Amino acid sequence: MISGGTRSALISRSASLAKRSTLPALFAVMMGAAAFTSAPATAAPVLMEAACPSSQYENAAGNCVQRPQQSDTAPDGATARCGDGTYSFSQTRRGTCSHHGGVSQWL
């Protein structure tokens, strides 16, 4: 037979274990419910109209600039010759001829 003090200690311990084991389960249930009621993780992409024609790109200042082009001689408006032989029309030196082998000559 279990004495009164031992019995209440066992009941108390059982209740404590039950609380500890149900809290993670309750948390998991709540998190699962939140997954069904919360907004999606990613929003649908917003389609924007291109600011520049396909022969140009938008630089960091927001201006449309002619894309680098291959030519035997420097085209009108070119600002640099790139390492791969293309001519750049960049309006600033920063980033000029990036992805084209760097600047080989400033014009």
Side-chain angles (χ1 to χ4, degrees):
M1 210 156 190
I2 301 174
S3 69
T6 306
R7 178 174 232 185
S8 65
L10 286 173
I11 292 172
S12 175
R13 180 174 171 142
S14 295
S16 175
L17 287 173
K19 286 180 186 175
R20 280 191 268 163
S21 64
T22 57
L23 284 178
L26 180 60
F27 180 75
V29 169
M30 290 175 63
M31 293 307 293
F36 290 109
T37 60
S38 64
T42 58
V46 176
L47 300 176
M48 295 174 46
E49 189 175 317
C52 302
S54 62
S55 63
Q56 299 179 349
Y57 67 94
E58 187 175 334
N59 69 6
N63 301 322
C64 292
V65 179
Q66 185 174 339
R67 293 185 182 281
Q69 70 181 51
Q70 191 74 43
S71 179
D72 293 333
T73 59
D76 289 340
T79 56
R81 181 173 171 98
C82 302
D84 66 357
T86 59
Y87 286 89
S88 173
F89 299 86
S90 290
Q91 297 174 345
T92 64
R93 289 183 173 234
R94 184 175 186 161
T96 300
C97 295
S98 62
H99 307 288
H100 291 275
V103 174
S104 65
Q105 180 183 5
W106 293 102
L107 304 176

